[in-house]
Amino acid sequence: GQEVVSLDALPRWTLQEARARLCEVLGVPSYSIRIFHGTVELTSKAALADIGVCDGSQLTLVISAPLQVVTASKDCTAKLWSVASGKCLRTLEGHEAQVNSAELSPDSTLVLTASRDKTAKIWSIACGVCLRTLTGHSARVKSAAFSLDGTLALTASFDSTAKLWNVMSGECVHTLMGHGAWLFSAVFSPSGALVLTASRDTTARVWRADSGRCLHTLVGHEASVVS
């Protein structure tokens, strides 16, 4: 990899001391820095010498992207915030009704919003611009989620369906039909192979993400299933 800094470090330095020095030199938050010697990571209970660092050693730094969170509001916008400073970084404007949910993509480059205006939108974090509007639901979109690899978006709607979308093209890949009432939520399984939906019809359903086929209907609740 690329050499980003040359530093005279003492073998007795702990993670806290090494981070503090690197923070001064690199100008990044200390919590975002991870330090490795080969494949061994410096932890809070060890010193540089404990992981084999000596004169002339080369260390690998992994610097995490700044921590950000996103909020959804009845004011028809979503907002992106810095965790470190608490400041608003972006206001995402474009929906015509309240925004019901907002989620960051796994790589933190995109935001996915779901709105009462019957659409979902995909936004660029870098510039705050709407890249794609996902249209096709006939009622409010209650929730929206990214797949673990960020290639698919999943929406749940009060039109009793969920939809799977190609994030790059904005095209609907599958419509998950079968519920008899509003959908309150739809989520991916950890592997991304399955989808779980929850409905006002008192059931939940398990679906295959690749085909849109319902595998199981989970029956047993006596009222709406909300998540």
Side-chain angles (χ1 to χ4, degrees), residues 102-227:
E103 178 177 300
L104 290 167
S105 63
D107 64 0
S108 296
T109 62
L110 302 173
V111 169
L112 175 63
T113 54
S115 174
R116 193 169 181 168
D117 68 8
K118 307 178 187 179
T119 73
K121 289 179 181 285
I122 298 171
W123 311 77
S124 165
I125 285 181
C127 57
V129 170
C130 178
L131 303 176
R132 281 165 283 285
T133 299
L134 310 181
T135 58
H137 284 294
S138 59
R140 72 184 66 175
V141 183
K142 184 64 175 175
S143 72
F146 282 107
S147 60
L148 185 62
D149 63 5
T151 62
L152 294 174
L154 172 65
T155 54
S157 172
F158 273 22
D159 66 8
S160 306
T161 73
K163 289 180 182 287
L164 286 159
W165 310 81
N166 182 299
V167 169
M168 290 299 295
S169 68
E171 295 180 359
C172 180
V173 179
H174 297 295
T175 298
L176 312 183
M177 302 177 65
H179 279 292
W182 303 344
L183 265 64
F184 290 109
S185 75
V187 295
F188 284 100
S189 65
S191 68
L194 302 175
V195 166
L196 177 65
T197 53
S199 173
R200 191 182 183 187
D201 68 8
T202 74
T203 72
R205 288 177 179 248
V206 180
W207 314 74
R208 284 188 56 147
D210 59 355
S211 66
R213 183 168 66 91
C214 181
L215 299 178
H216 305 289
T217 300
L218 311 182
V219 180
H221 285 292
E222 298 177 357
S224 298
V225 184
V226 297
S227 69

Side-chain angles (χ1 to χ4, degrees), residues 29 31-32 64-69 80-86 89 104 108:
Y31 63 77
S32 69
S64 303
L67 293 177
Q68 299 172 336
V69 293
L80 186 71
W81 307 82
S82 164
V83 171
S85 68
L89 304 175
L104 290 167
S108 296

